Amino acid sequence: MPSITTWSRIEPQTSAADGEGLGAGFAARVHDPLWLLARQWQVGEFQGEDCGTPILARWRGRVSPMRRFVAGPVPVNTQVDGPRFDAASVPLETLVERQVVAEDGLRRAVEDGLHFLRLLGQQRLFNDPSAAFASTYAVPEVTEEQRASLDPETLGYAELVAGRALDARRLRGALGDPATPRLDPALGIDTGDRAEVVEAYRAWVAWSDTLFSEPGAGAPQDGQTWQPDRLEHVFSLSTRLGDDIFGERTLTAQQYADGTLDWYSFDVNAEISLGSGQDEPGEVLTRTVVPAPVTFHGMPARRFWELEDARIDLGALRPGATDLAQLLMVETLTGFGNDWFVLPIELPVGSLVESRSLVVTDTFGVRSLLRPTGDSALANRRGFSMFSHTLPFGPGTEVAVPNLLFLAPTVTPIDGPVLEEVMLVRDELANLGWAVERRLESPLEVGLETATDTPDLASEPAAPRDVPVYRLATPLPAHWVPLIPVRVTDDSAEVRLAPGAVLDLSGVPRVVSPQARLLDPGPGRLLIREEEVPREGVVVRRTYQAARWYDGRLFVWSGNRTSIGRGEASSGLAFDDLVG
């Protein structure tokens, strides 16, 4: 039976053997060349602007690496001798965000203990003491008190490794300093094996100490950028850019908390001095490069018969009337997209750059001197300063500082799972603020959900009572820590939010203590500024981050992130309640 389905292929064919048939089609010839010339004249194809294409550019500027770093806020009109800073040694995010990693995790203790046994097995020993170490410093059995407080996953893991796995916490505490470790005679280590055991222990300590990037004991300025009262990082960088002692330039990051650190996170701070005036001034560099045309997807075609890229439709953008930046971008790309060139200039990371001059040579041999924005020779001309650092002079008063470019030594880290999450919210019905511990870190170093920002306030119906029961206050949801406004000092009018206390059902005062490390300010009392807990709330998270530096080194650290909350919440707290 013949097929009822047929296919037809439509494809170009030419009988010309030399390919002239296809060439004539691609030529797109017109019948009236004079008409095409008129159209080219109408669209400006023949307009002469007496300008050539840049073929050579010489850039000259002063480059100075950041040499000082000070963690935390610095009072105005203060001169300090800031510690030295090396931008090539560590990423700036790592230096700013890293905290001390707690060593009380059960999973880490077991895995570190296994690694010690591996290092011990690589030594040439007459009698292997691995079994003696594992039995002497084994993970202890779970007590009844721990059994009642641990989550099911942690409890199962603890029961599995108890008495079987080597506990690195006990091993480190027993042997102590790796320079002179204390080897227990009960381990039964032979005299000929003591040197090998000490070598394995030293290698293990060195590996354990470099596993995470933590604040060093020799760097007191490290690890102090986090401000618990403002839930953000504050730090300053400084260098000497000019030749005289007044050439110091200080950049301060006042509100870094979202994990995105770049040049726009810094403001010029002229009210403090970090001691860079005594350092070496910046170096004047000259770079001669070949300009390259700027290309981007969707840019306008240069010729009349060229097909444009359809992946981006700039005409479909609908910027608002006040969105000046997007309007300028659309105008630049659509009207002057072919007029931009890029100069590939390599500069050291972590440096502050000030341009001096730019000499461009075009195809006609004409050299044009371009002065940077803010130059004294351009006093009567206002330059473009959208991408400039600002110099604050007070609340709501800022002045753009032109001709400064900070090449921040930053990376894009990979964020791990959330270990802790605390939401700070307002409760208008109870007239209180709350720190809701939504996620806490377990001994297995994972985040466990402990509370929600919308508690279930519905209670089970109880049998009717003849006489209503009076309750001084209703019970609170679990892991809701009240934030009560208190005065900073007795003679001060400033009010801040501090963890308070509530009354339990029996009427006895019960202090509700936060369990999250995010709410632990260290020495002293946690006093959060009232303006840091707005009506929309704040979410603070603690995670592990990992990133590789430009030389291939891996940095892993623990840091905090702050983001906007999801509005107000209600705890259901009520006083003078009657239960029928």
Side-chain angles (χ1 to χ4, degrees):
M1 178 181 295
S3 174
I4 62 174
T5 305
T6 59
W7 291 269
S8 297
R9 296 180 59 184
I10 302 177
E11 57 186 12
Q13 294 183 358
T14 178
S15 59
D18 55 354
E20 293 181 358
L22 292 178
F26 282 117
R29 297 174 182 174
V30 295
H31 183 70
D32 190 357
L34 183 60
W35 175 86
L36 180 59
L37 292 176
R39 293 296 298 170
Q40 289 179 312
W41 170 75
Q42 289 178 348
V43 299
E45 288 284 342
F46 301 144
Q47 182 179 358
E49 298 180 353
D50 296 332
C51 62
T53 302
I55 59 174
L56 195 66
R58 187 184 65 182
W59 174 85
R60 187 170 181 266
R62 184 179 288 272
V63 180
S64 180
M66 288 293 181
R67 304 182 186 275
R68 305 280 179 162
F69 174 83
V70 173
V74 180
V76 298
N77 301 327
T78 302
Q79 295 183 359
V80 298
D81 188 11
R84 293 288 180 171
F85 171 70
D86 184 9
S89 61
V90 59
L92 193 56
E93 288 94 344
T94 306
L95 180 64
V96 171
E97 298 178 5
R98 62 185 178 184
Q99 304 171 354
V100 177
V101 178
E103 298 182 356
D104 54 354
L106 179 60
R107 187 190 300 273
R108 182 184 175 186
V110 173
E111 293 181 354
D112 288 2
L114 290 175
H115 188 66
F116 171 76
L117 297 180
R118 295 190 195 100
L119 295 177
L120 192 62
Q122 296 176 0
Q123 303 292 328
R124 295 183 178 180
L125 303 171
F126 293 101
N127 294 319
D128 188 6
S130 299
F133 275 102
S135 60
T136 305
Y137 306 112
V139 177
E141 298 291 338
V142 182
T143 63
E144 293 298 331
E145 182 180 358
Q146 294 175 344
R147 190 180 301 274
S149 60
L150 294 178
D151 59 280
E153 184 179 358
T154 304
L155 179 59
Y157 186 87
E159 292 179 342
L160 177 64
V161 299
R164 298 184 178 91
L166 175 62
D167 192 339
R169 300 167 296 185
R170 299 182 60 190
L171 176 67
R172 185 72 176 267
L175 271 64
D177 188 6
T180 56
R182 302 182 298 270
L183 297 179
D184 193 347
L187 296 173
I189 302 175
D190 294 342
T191 305
D193 295 336
R194 293 181 65 88
E196 287 74 9
V197 172
V198 171
E199 182 64 24
Y201 176 70
R202 291 175 179 173
W204 176 72
V205 171
W207 168 84
S208 179
D209 291 343
T210 58
L211 186 60
F212 296 96
S213 181
E214 302 179 76
Q221 80 283 0
D222 195 1
Q224 299 178 1
T225 62
W226 178 255
Q227 306 299 310
D229 60 333
R230 292 194 177 274
L231 307 176
E232 59 194 17
H233 297 277
V234 178
F235 61 98
S236 301
L237 297 168
S238 177
T239 187
R240 180 182 175 185
L241 195 60
D243 295 326
D244 54 6
I245 60 175
F246 301 102
E248 179 178 351
R249 297 293 184 272
T250 303
L251 301 181
T252 301
Q254 291 285 357
Q255 298 178 348
Y256 168 59
D258 57 356
T260 303
L261 185 62
D262 211 330
W263 66 270
Y264 47 77
S265 303
F266 298 87
D267 293 331
V268 178
N269 194 342
E271 297 179 338
I272 62 175
S273 175
L274 305 186
S276 299
Q278 307 299 326
D279 299 337
E280 293 294 330
E283 180 183 3
V284 178
L285 300 180
T286 303
R287 295 289 186 266
T288 303
V289 296
V290 177
V294 175
T295 60
F296 53 89
H297 296 296
M299 68 180 302
R302 295 188 176 186
R303 305 301 302 168
F304 182 74
W305 290 104
E306 183 179 353
L307 297 179
E308 297 181 350
D309 190 356
R311 285 179 289 180
I312 296 180
D313 187 5
L314 298 176
L317 295 176
R318 295 293 183 267
T322 58
D323 195 351
L324 180 59
Q326 191 172 0
L327 288 172
L328 291 176
M329 183 194 70
V330 174
E331 175 68 17
T332 302
L333 298 182
T334 56
F336 309 95
N338 301 330
D339 300 338
W340 292 90
F341 292 83
V342 60
L343 305 180
I345 300 177
E346 294 186 2
L347 297 173
V349 67
S351 300
L352 192 63
V353 183
E354 181 184 49
S355 298
R356 294 292 184 87
S357 63
L358 178 64
V359 179
V360 180
T361 305
D362 59 19
T363 51
F364 295 102
V366 178
R367 296 182 179 180
S368 302
L369 174 62
L370 305 179
R371 299 182 181 275
T373 303
D375 192 278
S376 58
L378 303 175
N380 297 327
R381 298 173 57 187
R382 299 184 60 183
F384 183 69
S385 60
M386 176 177 290
F387 305 102
S388 301
H389 294 282
T390 58
L391 177 61
F393 278 101
T397 304
E398 296 179 348
V399 177
V401 180
N403 196 16
L404 276 184
L405 175 62
F406 178 44
L407 301 177
T410 61
V411 292
T412 303
I414 300 176
D415 293 345
V418 178
L419 300 178
E420 288 185 351
E421 181 176 338
V422 177
M423 175 177 286
L424 306 180
V425 295
R426 295 278 185 174
D427 187 356
E428 295 295 338
L429 296 179
N431 196 21
L432 283 176
W434 299 96
V436 184
E437 298 175 331
R438 302 176 59 185
R439 191 179 294 269
L440 295 176
E441 184 180 6
S442 70
L444 299 184
E445 295 180 303
V446 296
L448 298 178
E449 295 184 2
T450 54
T452 60
D453 54 336
T454 55
D456 186 9
L457 303 179
S459 57
E460 297 182 359
R465 298 183 176 91
D466 297 334
V467 179
V469 177
Y470 170 76
R471 294 189 303 182
L472 184 60
T474 57
L476 287 175
H479 298 282
W480 280 57
V481 181
L483 299 177
I484 300 177
V486 297
R487 289 187 177 182
V488 179
T489 57
D490 296 336
D491 55 349
S492 175
E494 182 181 1
V495 177
R496 297 188 184 183
L497 302 178
V502 297
L503 297 176
D504 58 11
L505 296 178
S506 60
V508 179
R510 176 174 60 92
V511 178
V512 180
S513 301
Q515 302 181 21
R517 291 181 55 190
L518 293 172
L519 300 177
D520 183 12
R525 187 182 182 185
L526 178 61
L527 296 175
I528 303 176
R529 296 181 183 269
E530 194 172 10
E531 64 270 15
E532 299 301 328
V533 187
R535 184 174 182 179
E536 60 271 15
V538 175
V539 179
V540 188
R541 299 180 179 89
R542 182 171 64 88
T543 61
Y544 283 118
Q545 289 96 43
R548 286 196 178 275
W549 198 216
Y550 70 95
D551 54 1
R553 289 180 295 164
L554 177 63
F555 289 89
V556 181
W557 69 96
S558 174
N560 301 334
R561 297 282 192 271
T562 303
S563 60
I564 301 177
R566 294 184 294 180
E568 299 179 357
S570 177
S571 61
L573 177 62
F575 299 96
D576 298 329
D577 186 31
L578 287 177
V579 179

